Amino acid sequence: MQDIRKVKTERDIQTALLKLLREKTFDKITIADICATALTGRSTFYDHYTDKYALLEQMVAHYTDLFARLMHDRLNVLMSESGDKALIAFYKRLQPQGQAILTLLDVHEENADLTKNIKQELKEEWTHYLDTSDRPSTLPRDFMVFLGTDVVMSFIRWSLTHTVDEAIAHFAGRFRQAMFE
Amino acid sequence: MQDIRKVKTERDIQTALLKLLREKTFDKITIADICATALTGRSTFYDHYTDKYALLEQMVAHYTDLFARLMHDRLNVLMSESGDKALIAFYKRLQPQGQAILTLLDVHEENADLTKNIKQELKEEWTHYLDTSDRPSTLPRDFMVFLGTDVVMSFIRWSLTHTVDEAIAHFAGRFRQAMFE
DNA sequence: AGCTATTTGTCCGGAAACGAACACCTTTCT
DNA sequence: AGAAAGGTGTTCGTTTCCGGACAAATAGCT
């Protein structure tokens, strides 16, 4: 059995960092800042993380993993012809973490770049999808991968700041189809 | 110097109770419930409060006191002829605590009844105001006290669930004037 | 460049929170 | 009514977190 305090302090520290990231940039944030808003002692921070970069890296890794798992779970459905509802379901799953993801998407550090990570996941997925698809396109494959990931990225950002309705989901489906015509 | 943990734990426990009060009634809430949502050990609860009633009583007492102080601070301005802006300022001060106050207004326990407490404060204030006012009314004083407190109570609830704009504040002023005609 | 203030990372003794176990009481089921 | 389940309140040994102090590194100032 594991002590709740560990869970709680890490949650508090992570929440604190996210809050601070909405106020200032990562490099302007000090450990003392984090601990003050997390209501934890500064020495406690070092009991859990080696430095603020390690903290950020762990968080970005966590959300990268979350996104990847969520995407792979539903991928077959998402890429199908009638994937409108699946797309909505996908965003529903992302929604609760939405605020955290959105703030982290704007942070770009050496080993902690959620945008970069998600794009990488999307790129691999598009590549694999195009390679196995039985619907060839006249456009260069690399171009379609490039465009596809950026468009999906755009959809994600929009969906998390606003909400996904039927119309948006339907348009996403239409767009995917349009890429093969 | 005092340990942050005390502050933090009590904050977490109180926030947890408020959250639970939005889901179920006070009597259905167990200590274990509170500790589970507060992420604290059950024994820790008893380090701070003798039982859940003591917790609620302390919280109600706190918000009663907050309201009373806020009211007395601005009373002279609030009761003046041009108190529209003062009224808005008053609600601005109440706003941050709004969610907590609103949930506690619906809880009615023996020694923990925020609605009752605030009404008492308002009653005393109206009584004192009417006794010292140089503008006599033909209506019975007790009736005016009764009506006045209920109307203010209504304004408070409405303002905290919605927002106070110029129109509402102005209407409140008009109403106060109407009571003397 | 030199001086000061701030931040970082580490250490430690003491305080607070922890889980687990306990007896006791109330509620629910049968 | 009697058994089972769940909530209360208390205790205690252990773990985690805390504040404070520290040297070293970094940033900001003049």
Side-chain angles (χ1 to χ4, degrees):
Chain A
M1 201 64 208
Q2 107 139 309
D3 205 311
I4 331 178
R5 281 174 288 186
K6 286 190 179 180
V7 181
K8 193 177 179 179
T9 49
E10 290 182 10
R11 180 203 65 175
D12 290 342
I13 287 176
Q14 294 182 13
T15 308
L17 176 59
L18 287 172
K19 183 181 179 189
L20 288 168
L21 280 173
R22 277 168 227 128
E23 299 169 4
K24 35 182 159 175
T25 55
F26 184 68
D27 57 303
K28 301 285 182 195
I29 296 171
T30 72
I31 311 278
D33 282 339
I34 298 171
C35 296
T37 66
L39 289 185
T40 69
R42 206 167 59 86
S43 57
T44 307
F45 180 94
Y46 290 104
D47 288 340
H48 294 264
Y49 310 97
T50 60
D51 50 35
K52 66 174 183 173
Y53 301 96
L55 165 62
L56 186 71
E57 281 167 26
Q58 182 181 309
M59 291 176 68
V60 168
H62 172 257
Y63 287 106
T64 301
D65 185 61
L66 176 77
F67 179 85
R69 279 188 291 105
L70 221 62
M71 184 178 68
H72 286 117
D73 273 6
R74 312 229 164 199
L75 195 75
N76 44 347
V77 197
L78 281 171
M79 285 307 194
S80 72
E81 293 306 309
S82 59
D84 287 17
K85 283 174 189 167
L87 198 65
I88 292 182
F90 178 74
Y91 285 121
K92 281 262 170 64
R93 295 282 299 275
L94 226 53
Q95 196 81 26
Q97 326 274 341
Q99 203 184 18
I101 293 173
L102 277 173
T103 57
L104 286 180
L105 282 178
D106 289 329
V107 181
H108 307 283
E109 290 292 321
E110 185 62 29
N111 295 314
D113 192 324
L114 186 59
T115 297
K116 198 178 125 202
N117 292 359
I118 289 184
K119 276 198 177 181
Q120 178 60 25
E121 295 285 338
L122 289 173
K123 183 184 165 192
E124 286 170 13
E125 218 47 68
W126 273 106
T127 305
H128 176 260
Y129 175 63
L130 291 174
D131 284 351
T132 59
S133 173
D134 52 350
R135 299 168 58 188
S137 170
T138 54
L139 296 167
R141 199 201 62 169
D142 284 356
F143 169 75
M144 292 187 65
V145 168
F146 183 81
L147 185 64
T149 69
D150 276 355
V151 168
V152 172
M153 209 59 212
S154 183
F155 271 113
I156 291 172
R157 292 192 86 107
W158 197 91
S159 308
L160 290 180
T161 48
H162 308 74
T163 42
V164 181
D165 50 19
E166 295 277 341
I168 299 293
H170 185 66
F171 180 77
R174 299 280 292 173
F175 181 85
R176 194 193 57 248
Q177 284 184 296
M179 285 185 68
F180 293 98
E181 287 162 7
Chain B
M1 200 65 207
Q2 108 138 306
D3 204 312
I4 330 180
R5 281 175 288 185
K6 287 188 178 182
V7 181
K8 193 177 180 179
T9 321
E10 292 183 7
R11 181 203 65 175
D12 289 343
I13 287 176
Q14 294 183 12
T15 308
L17 177 58
L18 288 172
K19 183 182 179 189
L20 288 169
L21 281 172
R22 277 167 227 130
E23 299 169 3
K24 34 183 159 174
T25 55
F26 184 67
D27 57 302
K28 302 285 181 194
I29 296 171
T30 72
I31 312 278
D33 282 339
I34 299 171
C35 296
T37 67
L39 289 185
T40 68
R42 207 166 58 86
S43 58
T44 307
F45 180 93
Y46 290 103
D47 289 340
H48 293 264
Y49 310 97
T50 61
D51 50 34
K52 67 174 182 173
Y53 301 96
L55 165 62
L56 186 70
E57 282 166 28
Q58 183 181 308
M59 290 175 69
V60 167
H62 172 257
Y63 287 106
T64 301
D65 186 61
L66 177 76
F67 179 85
R69 278 188 290 103
L70 221 61
M71 185 178 68
H72 286 117
D73 273 6
R74 311 229 164 198
L75 196 75
N76 45 347
V77 197
L78 282 172
M79 286 305 193
S80 72
E81 294 306 308
S82 58
D84 288 19
K85 282 174 189 164
L87 198 64
I88 292 182
F90 178 73
Y91 286 120
K92 280 264 170 62
R93 296 281 299 276
L94 227 52
Q95 197 81 28
Q97 325 275 340
Q99 204 183 19
I101 293 173
L102 277 172
T103 55
L104 287 180
L105 283 177
D106 288 329
V107 180
H108 307 284
E109 291 292 322
E110 185 61 29
N111 295 313
D113 192 324
L114 186 60
T115 297
K116 199 178 125 203
N117 292 0
I118 289 184
K119 276 198 177 183
Q120 178 60 25
E121 294 286 339
L122 289 173
K123 184 184 164 190
E124 286 171 13
E125 219 44 71
W126 273 105
T127 305
H128 177 260
Y129 175 63
L130 291 174
D131 284 351
T132 59
S133 175
D134 52 349
R135 299 167 58 189
S137 170
T138 55
L139 296 167
R141 198 200 64 171
D142 285 357
F143 170 74
M144 293 187 63
V145 168
F146 184 82
L147 184 65
T149 68
D150 275 356
V151 167
V152 172
M153 210 59 214
S154 183
F155 270 113
I156 291 171
R157 292 192 85 106
W158 196 92
S159 308
L160 291 180
T161 49
H162 309 74
T163 41
V164 181
D165 50 19
E166 295 277 341
I168 298 292
H170 185 66
F171 179 77
R174 298 280 293 174
F175 181 85
R176 193 192 60 248
Q177 284 185 293
M179 284 183 68
F180 293 99
E181 286 163 9

